[in-house]
Amino acid sequence: MPSEKILTEKQALVAALNEKMVGACAGVVVSFKGITVEADTKLRKELREAGVEYAVVKNTMLRLAVKGTSLESLAESFKGDTAIAISKEDPIAAARILNKFAEADKSKSFTIKGGYMDGNVMSAAEVCEIAKLPDLKGMLSMFAGALTSTLSGMAVAMQAYVDKQESEAA
């Protein structure tokens, strides 16, 4: 039986982890087995720059953190070496960075186990599909381009109508 102090510290860790996971817009669970220190440092730096929090956490702590939440089915992914990347702002950042790293891993020992977005649990395959989407800025520019082309098309159609009305009047 652990001491009262250790038990209190673990309960605080679980509560903080629960708050981070539930409050985040997305998260990705990975198996980091076989990753070198150099590669891990590079990965952590890239994730940090993207605003993603990455940590190696004991599976028991993760299971307790998701217990009773919409992420409870994610507990199936908490086996073996487990790390979690939590993104508070960009829902695709963690998936994109970790998927790129997993694809570049020659030993294929670094793998994505699963993830979640907006409270919905996703399989590893779904996380990999989402990772292929453009980032938020890319999506916004695509949306702006679509709006601009629609508006310019409407302007051309309106001008053609005006021209037609003028030629019929003359």
Side-chain angles (χ1 to χ4, degrees):
M1 184 82 180
S3 71
E4 179 109 9
K5 180 182 175 188
I6 294 173
L7 189 60
T8 305
E9 288 173 1
K10 287 183 178 182
Q11 288 172 340
L13 174 69
V14 168
L17 192 57
N18 175 286
E19 188 176 314
K20 284 179 189 176
M21 291 177 74
V22 172
C25 62
V28 179
V29 179
V30 297
S31 172
F32 62 92
K33 184 179 180 182
I35 187 172
T36 65
V37 174
E38 181 183 341
D40 186 52
T41 304
K42 184 179 175 185
L43 176 64
R44 285 176 186 266
K45 181 178 185 270
E46 190 175 350
L47 287 166
R48 194 171 34 254
E49 289 172 353
V52 177
E53 188 177 334
Y54 178 80
V56 174
V57 184
K58 288 188 173 194
N59 292 325
T60 306
M61 299 296 168
L62 285 169
R63 277 190 207 95
L64 290 170
V66 298
K67 189 174 185 178
T69 68
S70 63
L71 307 175
E72 194 163 6
S73 62
L74 191 62
E76 297 168 9
S77 303
F78 305 147
K79 295 180 178 112
D81 300 326
T82 305
I84 187 162
I86 301 171
S87 180
K88 293 181 182 175
E89 295 172 12
D90 186 355
I92 301 173
R96 188 180 349 77
I97 293 167
L98 293 170
N99 187 54
K100 182 178 79 173
F101 188 84
E103 287 176 351
D105 182 32
K106 293 173 181 61
S107 66
K108 298 295 179 202
S109 55
F110 184 91
T111 56
I112 294 175
K113 294 180 176 184
Y116 66 94
M117 184 179 289
D118 295 326
N120 299 316
V121 175
M122 301 181 301
S123 68
E126 290 171 320
V127 172
C128 293
E129 285 300 313
I130 285 177
K132 295 173 185 167
L133 294 174
D135 63 352
L136 184 60
K137 288 181 182 177
M139 283 191 197
L140 288 175
S141 65
M142 289 169 55
F143 179 68
L147 277 178
T148 304
S149 67
T150 302
L151 291 174
S152 65
M154 192 167 92
V156 168
M158 290 172 69
Q159 186 61 46
Y161 179 76
V162 169
D163 292 345
K164 181 180 177 189
Q165 292 297 324
E166 287 176 356
S167 67
E168 287 177 0

